[in-house]
Amino acid sequence: MGMRPAQLSLLLLWVSAAGAEVLVQPDFDCKKFSGLWYVVFMVSDCKVFLENKDHLLMSTRDVNATTKGDLNVHIELPWENGCNQMDVQYLKVGSEGHFRVPALGYLDVRVADSDYSSFAVVYIYKELQGALSTMVQLFSRTQGATLRALSAFQDFYPTVDLFKDFQIECLNEHL
């Protein structure tokens, strides 16, 4: 069983409408983006994340660019009871810096802003447990964030209809 054509059309329209105004980092360079990143802040309207926001800890992304423009990413997600690790592929969609991640239900991932050396603002439109949601993550090369990084993050997430009420500070007590 699959989606009926009307449901699929509505989903595709919503995905394209949700991503249409989100720009990708100009001249994105996946090789410069490679390396270790910490996810220091998130903003999301995802019910699952919001229900667990007090328990989320800082996760890491070890990013390695491929020659095709995809990203191989090793993720470590610490929880109070241990650390989950996974390897996923960010598959390039069209332009550089635009991806999808089927293994995580990420329908649309865009690196919206990055200086490569200290921060990146990453937009994610995803499906989790049958619900569609939007997330913006602030990646940092260190376990903290610069004022410039925080400013870029705070300037960006309202443009995708997310608000401070949805903000999650990722604690780093277990790293």
Side-chain angles (χ1 to χ4, degrees), residues 6-70:
Q7 289 174 314
L8 182 58
S9 295
L10 181 59
L11 176 63
L12 291 175
L13 177 63
W14 201 34
V15 168
S16 62
E21 297 177 24
V22 179
L23 300 177
V24 177
Q25 168 77 21
D27 301 318
F28 179 79
D29 185 330
C30 60
K31 296 225 182 298
K32 287 182 183 177
F33 191 73
S34 292
L36 182 65
W37 291 101
Y38 297 91
V39 179
V40 294
F41 282 97
M42 289 191 298
V43 177
S44 181
D45 58 5
C46 175
K47 184 178 176 183
V48 173
F49 281 94
L50 292 172
E51 287 173 354
N52 292 292
K53 74 186 245 179
D54 294 333
H55 305 288
L56 290 175
L57 301 172
M58 186 181 306
S59 63
T60 60
R61 308 286 188 276
D62 188 9
V63 178
N64 292 293
T66 70
T67 55
K68 296 188 314 181
D70 296 338

